[in-house]
Amino acid sequence: MERLNASIERLARTVGALLDQRSELERENARLASEVHRLSRQLERSTERKSGLEKEVDSIKLASAMPADEEIRSKARAELDGMLREIDQCLALLND
């Protein structure tokens, strides 16, 4: 009977240790899930910023390649800006 009680006590301690370990792992899992979510948002913002900067570089390249006449340049720039807005709207619709 004494051996049985000792075995039960060892088993109870083992189960207790396993439950403690499980709780610790659940907390760690929640922390890591939160970190993944934070990093995903950060990556998304960085990707959007990169895309914006790439568009800006492309616009600058196009603007510098335009003719020197200011009226023609301003009309072309306005047309390009309109096209870029349309492209942005299309991309927004595709992402939704």
Side-chain angles (χ1 to χ4, degrees):
M1 186 67 161
E2 196 172 305
R3 276 180 40 181
L4 181 59
N5 285 338
S7 293
I8 290 173
E9 286 179 27
R10 274 195 318 272
L11 182 60
R13 282 192 304 270
T14 303
V15 168
L18 288 172
L19 290 173
D20 290 343
Q21 186 179 16
R22 177 180 175 226
S23 295
E24 185 178 322
L25 289 172
E26 285 175 341
R27 283 190 300 272
E28 178 70 7
N29 189 35
R31 185 188 69 76
L32 291 173
S34 175
E35 181 74 4
V36 164
H37 183 68
R38 183 186 69 78
L39 291 171
S40 293
R41 286 192 323 256
Q42 183 179 352
L43 176 62
E44 186 177 312
R45 285 190 305 268
S46 295
T47 302
E48 288 171 2
R49 185 167 188 271
K50 177 184 171 265
S51 294
L53 290 172
E54 286 174 342
K55 287 178 187 177
E56 190 176 330
V57 166
D58 289 343
S59 293
I60 290 170
K61 285 179 182 177
L62 285 173
S64 67
M66 289 185 191
D69 183 88
E70 189 59 37
E71 184 179 337
I72 295 173
R73 181 181 291 182
S74 110
K75 286 181 182 178
R77 183 173 285 145
E79 191 174 330
L80 284 172
D81 287 342
M83 288 179 191
L84 288 173
R85 276 192 297 278
E86 286 183 42
I87 290 170
D88 287 339
Q89 290 172 351
C90 291
L91 289 174
L93 290 173
L94 287 172
N95 287 331
D96 289 340

